[in-house]
Amino acid sequence: MKISAILSSSALMCSVITATWALPSQILSQRASRRHSNPSLRIEGPETASEAANTTIQYSGNWSGAVLVSPPSGETFNNAVGTFTVPAMLTGGSDGAAAAWVGIDGDTYATAILQAGVYFSVSGDSVEYGAWYEWWPNYATDIDTDDFPVSAGDVITVVIEATSNMEGTVTLINESAGKTFSINQTSPTKLSYLGGQNAEWIVEDYTQNGGLVPLANWGTVTFVNASASTSARTTLGLADATIFDIEQYSDIMTSVTIDSDSSVSISYA
Ligand SMILES: *[C@@H]1O[C@H](CO)[C@@H](O)[C@H](O)[C@H]1NC(C)=O
Ligand SMILES: *[C@@H]1O[C@H](CO)[C@@H](O)[C@H](O)[C@H]1NC(C)=O
Ligand SMILES: *[C@@H]1O[C@H](CO)[C@@H](O)[C@H](O)[C@H]1NC(C)=O
Ligand SMILES: *[C@@H]1O[C@H](CO)[C@@H](O)[C@H](O)[C@H]1NC(C)=O
Ligand SMILES: *[C@@H]1O[C@H](CO)[C@@H](O)[C@H](O)[C@H]1NC(C)=O
């Protein structure tokens, strides 16, 4: 039962990836092209990694990190927050990209995601960083670098706030400079109202012009001061979060550790 499920999902992933792999030239034209951060593509799992720590691991085609997969009974998530340091991407290896973000919904509740973060992309000798926000299924909107420049080492706090199921505010704060970017968002369609069922801290293999970008080696991104809160003002940390690892072509590409109730480290493996 389990094996057949794994085989069929792996086969599906392969066909998805080979069909849509982004060309390096698409990464070059990053700013002009359509980047898209997507719902989690759950494949095999979940499995219990450590009974003692109650850690559950879920494999995904494009998400790595920590996901609170459901709020307390009768409540909905309306806030998720986390702080991370923009990784210094190295050139000289192969081209690729990834994005770190905080969001609400998009896993078990797959019809919406309200999210914001930073992408990092390597192409030849150049590295590009940029902040963005997105209400899935819309494409990502780049934040003008004049308004919010991003470089390696910046300490960025992301605050995702749902004010209703169809409205929210995303805020990015540069802790290094005390600079803030904030914008109100409305659900792009009636089918993408938030459910408030998931909250997450993710490094993603995103899609660009319809294809998954090759994953870049980002080293480690650690979200700190991470928490989510609910309609009933309950605040939850990451202790009971499900770990997501990216699996492609049957390779596990990431290593994720929940360091504490407020921190998760996500490494390219
Ligand atoms: C994950 O990546 C795939 C491949 O690009 C993309 O088609 C999909 O929208 C993403 N999420 C889900 C849920 O499939
Ligand atoms: C794991 O879950 C069980 C049952 O919910 C609980 O009794 C136990 O305290 C948990 N262990 C840890 C380390 O959180
Ligand atoms: C954040 O602050 C640092 C230090 O002042 C600055 O170099 C960087 O460009 C700023 N980034 C953003 C996103 O404002
Ligand atoms: C978002 O909307 C609220 C309520 O209408 C308003 O007070 C706030 O200034 C708006 N924020 C931004 C960044 O536009
Ligand atoms: C995390 O929160 C604490 C307490 O509010 C604060 O002192 C610390 O600077 C924060 N860490 C980062 C990296 O923002």
Side-chain angles (χ1 to χ4, degrees):
M1 184 65 187
K2 182 158 186 226
I3 287 175
S4 69
I6 291 170
L7 283 177
S8 60
S9 60
S10 302
L12 174 69
M13 268 315 294
C14 290
S15 63
V16 167
I17 292 168
T18 48
T20 58
W21 200 266
L23 300 169
S25 61
Q26 291 177 299
I27 297 172
L28 257 184
S29 59
Q30 188 95 29
R31 197 153 295 286
S33 62
R34 287 155 74 84
R35 275 180 299 102
H36 212 178
S37 171
N38 298 296
S40 70
L41 177 60
R42 278 188 176 224
I43 45 179
E44 61 188 281
E47 62 186 45
T48 303
S50 158
E51 300 284 353
N54 289 345
T55 309
T56 303
I57 296 189
Q58 172 66 54
Y59 297 98
S60 159
N62 37 20
W63 283 20
S64 55
V67 180
L68 291 172
V69 295
S70 62
S73 172
E75 304 179 22
T76 51
F77 289 118
N78 58 13
N79 171 286
V81 56
T83 301
F84 65 97
T85 301
V86 177
M89 302 299 286
L90 300 177
T91 57
S94 46
D95 292 351
W101 54 270
V102 177
I104 293 175
D105 289 334
D107 176 35
T108 53
Y109 193 89
T111 50
I113 318 173
L114 181 58
Q115 54 183 167
V118 169
Y119 73 82
F120 16 96
S121 155
V122 179
S123 181
D125 290 336
S126 78
V127 181
E128 191 173 88
Y129 301 94
W132 54 274
Y133 56 88
E134 178 179 316
W135 190 317
W136 195 89
N138 267 2
Y139 284 85
T141 300
D142 285 329
I143 299 168
D144 196 312
T145 48
D146 293 337
D147 293 334
F148 200 80
V150 180
S151 34
D154 288 357
V155 178
I156 308 284
T157 295
V158 180
V159 184
I160 305 298
E161 183 89 44
T163 42
S164 72
N165 64 352
M166 53 178 291
E167 288 176 308
T169 307
V170 305
T171 304
L172 292 99
I173 304 156
N174 181 352
E175 301 290 356
S176 318
K179 187 166 186 169
T180 298
F181 171 90
S182 190
I183 191 165
N184 287 342
Q185 290 285 286
T186 306
S187 177
T189 78
K190 285 184 176 169
L191 299 176
S192 56
Y193 287 178
L194 297 170
Q197 296 303 299
N198 316 131
E200 61 269 348
W201 298 263
I202 299 295
V203 176
E204 179 177 5
D205 189 355
Y206 59 85
T207 62
Q208 186 156 353
N209 298 325
L212 268 184
V213 298
L215 211 51
N217 181 352
W218 65 82
T220 299
V221 166
T222 301
F223 287 95
V224 299
N225 286 355
S227 66
S229 52
T230 72
S231 49
R233 300 187 187 279
T234 309
T235 298
L236 287 96
L238 306 186
D240 294 328
T242 295
I243 285 177
F244 271 58
D245 272 309
I246 295 175
E247 178 181 343
Q248 295 178 348
Y249 297 109
S250 302
D251 280 341
I252 312 296
M253 314 285 286
T254 56
S255 169
V256 175
T257 314
I258 295 187
D259 309 312
S260 73
D261 197 37
S262 61
S263 175
V264 57
S265 290
I266 307 163
S267 300
Y268 181 92

